[in-house]
């Protein structure tokens, strides 16, 4: 549902309090998904949260994808989704450069969620943009957004 479960509510509470979180959204009906393959079949993975960080000194947009994985989720698809998001999708988007720096976090233990989220946000804040991300930011701030059109990743 729109408010999620108690784990998701706990994650939202952590995000509300974090000084470097500019905004976040529960990914419900936003249309954001990550394609992945499990057991030879294609699926669309819809992660739980998208978190936009407060701009850092370099001005490059930073976004954290958070998945809240409770004990009720099947481990096979959960691992396939997480591996695709972290090891392929974020890598491809970061290599493209036009959408800033992206990172992924899967929360498996609600008792450690706050520490894991804070750590992920710190790592993301400290991530250095690559040349493509810096160039895209420069084009965006100069008003030339033609190079930021979505491309097949």
């Amino acid at each position: 549902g729109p408010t999620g479960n108690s784990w998701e509510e706990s994650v939202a509470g952590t995000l509300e309090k974090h000084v470097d979180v500019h905004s976040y959204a529960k990914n419900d009906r936003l249309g954001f998904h990550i394609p992945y393959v499990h057991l030879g079949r294609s699926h669309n993975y819809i992660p739980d949260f998208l978190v936009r960080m407060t701009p850092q000194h370099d001005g490059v947009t930073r976004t954290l994808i958070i998945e809240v994985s409770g004990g009720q989720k099947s481990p096979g698809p959960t691992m396939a989704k997480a591996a695709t998001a972290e090891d392929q999708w974020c890598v491809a988007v970061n290599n493209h450069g036009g959408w800033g720096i992206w990172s992924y976090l899967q929360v498996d233990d609600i008792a450690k969620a706050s520490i894991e989220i804070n750590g992920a946000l710190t790592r993301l804040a400290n991530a250095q943009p690559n040349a493509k991300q810096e160039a895209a930011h420069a084009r965006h701030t100069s008003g030339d957004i033609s190079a930021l059109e979505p491309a097949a990743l």
Side-chain angles (χ1 to χ4, degrees):
T3 61
N5 59 40
S6 61
W7 281 34
E8 291 175 353
E9 289 172 5
S10 178
V11 167
T14 298
L15 296 172
E16 285 284 336
K17 296 178 211 165
H18 199 286
V19 67
D20 285 330
V21 171
H22 181 265
S23 59
Y24 71 93
K26 180 162 171 33
N27 188 26
D28 185 39
R29 297 181 185 91
L30 297 180
F32 178 82
H33 66 273
I34 297 172
Y36 75 102
V37 176
H38 179 64
L39 299 177
R41 296 192 54 187
S42 296
H43 304 274
N44 283 324
Y45 163 41
I46 302 171
D48 293 316
F49 290 96
L50 298 173
V51 183
R52 180 65 46 91
M53 294 191 70
T54 301
Q56 303 299 307
H57 66 298
D58 56 22
V60 174
T61 301
R62 287 167 169 78
T63 307
L64 177 63
I65 301 167
I66 299 177
E67 174 65 20
V68 180
S69 294
Q72 301 121 348
K73 295 185 180 180
S74 175
T78 299
M79 288 189 299
K81 293 186 283 190
T84 300
E86 186 169 17
D87 301 333
Q88 296 175 24
W89 194 89
C90 285
V91 171
V93 169
N94 288 335
N95 186 53
H96 176 275
W99 294 285
I101 303 172
W102 288 68
S103 186
Y104 178 83
L105 175 66
Q106 181 171 315
V107 175
D108 294 317
D109 182 348
I110 197 61
K112 297 178 184 174
S114 182
I115 292 168
E116 291 176 351
I117 291 167
N118 290 334
L121 289 168
T122 297
R123 287 188 298 278
L124 188 53
N126 292 329
Q128 297 299 309
N130 63 35
K132 291 177 182 177
Q133 291 161 333
E134 289 176 339
H137 172 68
R139 282 190 302 274
H140 180 70
T141 57
S142 71
D144 176 15
I145 60 169
S146 61
L148 298 178
E149 293 299 316
L153 298 176

